[in-house]
Amino acid sequence: MNISWVLATSLIIGCSTSYAMLRTIESKHLDLQAIGNAKSQQANPSDLTQELVMDRSSNTSKLQILLPLYIYPNWYDRDKYIWKQVTVAARKVPIVAIINPNNGPNNAPPNSDYQQGLKDLHQAGVKIVGYVPTNYTKRDIQAVKADIEVYSKYFNIDGIFVDETANAQDKLNYYHQIYQYTKSRSPRYQVIINPGANIIESYLHEPVADVSVNFENYQKVWDDYYPPAYMKNYPPQHFAALVHTTADAQMMKRTIDLADKYKFGYIYITNDSTDTADRNPWDTLPTYWQAQVNYIQKINATK
């Protein structure tokens, strides 16, 4: 998901904006780490990391919202503070919010507005992941690691959202390095990659990520979409879909039904579009936001 729109938004506002996941299973991680220590003569750190990944991906069958929260946290304006709506929704459905200060962490700690916004999200149980672009491996991997380090040190994140992911076998090692580096900052961090299309299966074997955004596109493209055969062999929590330009609540519900049928573990639908003046479908909540939250809650009640 190209985030150049956010730069324009950030300049208009005159501020920076900011970012993961799975604090709910930290106790399990500690148990696994203890096991890993006890078997230190037989296992290496990569083995333990893989064990954590498998534990994480199978932890829940609940459908979750993966929300590109590319909206400034203007907490001082109660009528326009969109993040508040997100915290309220988190009482009903699990939410992972992707934050993005300025096409990344802006090489600096969060400003005071972001500090307040991040605090509000955490208190509501929202998981926070930080946006990092890779330009399809054209970006220097050291710059990517520097972004991850800033998020890790200053933003109290739960993981990293790796955007502009190249989807080719010869690019696998680049993303595996990002994955390993992120896990070295904290094994509990979740790594979400965004190829925007069905990832090649070898990316799941390496591994390169905990979650792959296997769809990011228009509703009209989703209408012709079908998941790859391999998806049925993995837990739903490995896959996400982001659908924009979805006209109304009825269409939104049909899309969520299909995503659930296809075994996507994460979903987000919006009527915002790349066809708008700012070309950014992720800088507002959909007009049917509450209906979407309520519908996912209803689906989860049956799981």
Side-chain angles (χ1 to χ4, degrees):
M1 136 194 345
N2 193 300
I3 199 68
S4 59
W5 318 291
V6 177
L7 291 171
T9 303
S10 297
L11 289 172
I12 292 170
I13 296 173
C15 300
S16 296
T17 51
S18 308
Y19 142 83
M21 137 175 266
L22 297 157
R23 195 169 276 130
T24 56
I25 58 171
E26 283 186 77
S27 60
K28 290 186 178 182
H29 293 169
L30 292 174
D31 290 340
L32 286 169
Q33 288 173 329
I35 294 171
N37 290 336
K39 298 180 178 179
S40 60
Q41 299 302 315
Q42 299 152 338
N44 59 48
S46 62
D47 295 330
L48 178 57
T49 299
Q50 179 65 17
E51 192 173 10
L52 291 170
V53 172
M54 295 309 296
D55 179 72
R56 175 183 294 114
S57 63
S58 61
N59 182 61
T60 176
S61 62
K62 300 295 185 184
L63 190 60
Q64 302 184 55
I65 293 177
L66 178 62
L67 174 64
L69 191 58
Y70 304 158
I71 304 168
Y72 192 76
N74 53 338
W75 58 271
Y76 42 81
D77 189 341
R78 293 185 179 181
D79 294 335
K80 297 180 180 180
Y81 185 33
I82 301 299
W83 290 34
K84 179 64 176 179
Q85 296 182 46
V86 176
T87 64
V88 171
R91 301 170 187 167
K92 294 187 173 184
V93 297
I95 297 178
V96 179
I98 310 164
I99 61 165
N100 185 7
N102 189 6
N103 208 32
N106 205 35
N107 198 32
N111 64 20
S112 59
D113 295 336
Y114 254 81
Q115 290 175 28
Q116 181 62 52
L118 294 170
K119 178 181 177 181
D120 291 344
L121 292 181
H122 274 302
Q123 287 182 341
V126 176
K127 309 304 179 184
I128 301 171
V129 295
Y131 178 94
V132 175
T134 63
N135 194 22
Y136 308 99
T137 72
K138 294 177 183 178
R139 189 178 183 213
D140 190 315
I141 198 167
Q142 297 307 318
V144 175
K145 291 179 178 180
D147 279 354
I148 294 170
E149 185 67 17
V150 172
Y151 277 127
S152 179
K153 288 179 67 175
Y154 301 114
F155 282 81
N156 192 22
I157 58 167
D158 299 288
I160 294 291
F161 183 83
V162 183
D163 198 21
E164 301 169 342
T165 302
N167 192 5
Q169 186 67 33
D170 63 345
K171 308 300 183 183
L172 188 151
N173 184 60
Y174 176 95
Y175 292 102
H176 183 58
Q177 289 183 62
I178 293 173
Y179 178 87
Q180 289 183 310
Y181 185 80
T182 303
K183 296 295 184 179
S184 75
R185 307 339 285 160
S186 175
R188 73 172 180 84
Y189 282 171
Q190 187 161 30
V191 180
I192 304 174
I193 57 172
N194 182 25
N198 293 327
I199 200 72
I200 58 176
E201 190 174 7
S202 57
Y203 273 45
L204 298 169
H205 293 162
E206 187 59 24
V208 161
D210 302 311
V211 181
S212 172
V213 178
N214 269 22
F215 185 93
E216 185 205 348
N217 216 317
Y218 286 85
Q219 175 70 47
K220 61 185 179 182
V221 179
W222 172 264
D223 292 340
D224 294 324
Y225 173 81
Y226 198 77
Y230 68 69
M231 275 185 62
K232 66 179 182 293
N233 299 322
Y234 299 88
Q237 298 310 308
H238 275 300
F239 307 106
L242 304 173
V243 188
H244 61 74
T245 323
T246 304
D248 53 43
Q250 184 176 4
M251 188 174 293
M252 171 270 293
K253 291 178 181 179
R254 290 201 302 268
T255 301
I256 291 176
D257 286 341
L258 266 180
D260 191 43
K261 176 183 176 181
Y262 292 158
K263 304 302 181 182
F264 280 93
Y266 299 85
I267 188 72
Y268 176 65
I269 319 292
T270 182
N271 59 335
D272 204 344
S273 175
T274 59
D275 299 331
T276 55
D278 63 9
R279 301 186 60 79
N280 183 359
W282 316 118
D283 60 351
T284 66
L285 290 180
T287 55
Y288 44 71
W289 167 250
Q290 193 57 55
Q292 182 170 178
V293 170
N294 292 344
Y295 195 64
I296 292 175
Q297 181 187 34
K298 179 180 178 181
I299 290 174
N300 284 343
T302 67
K303 291 182 179 294

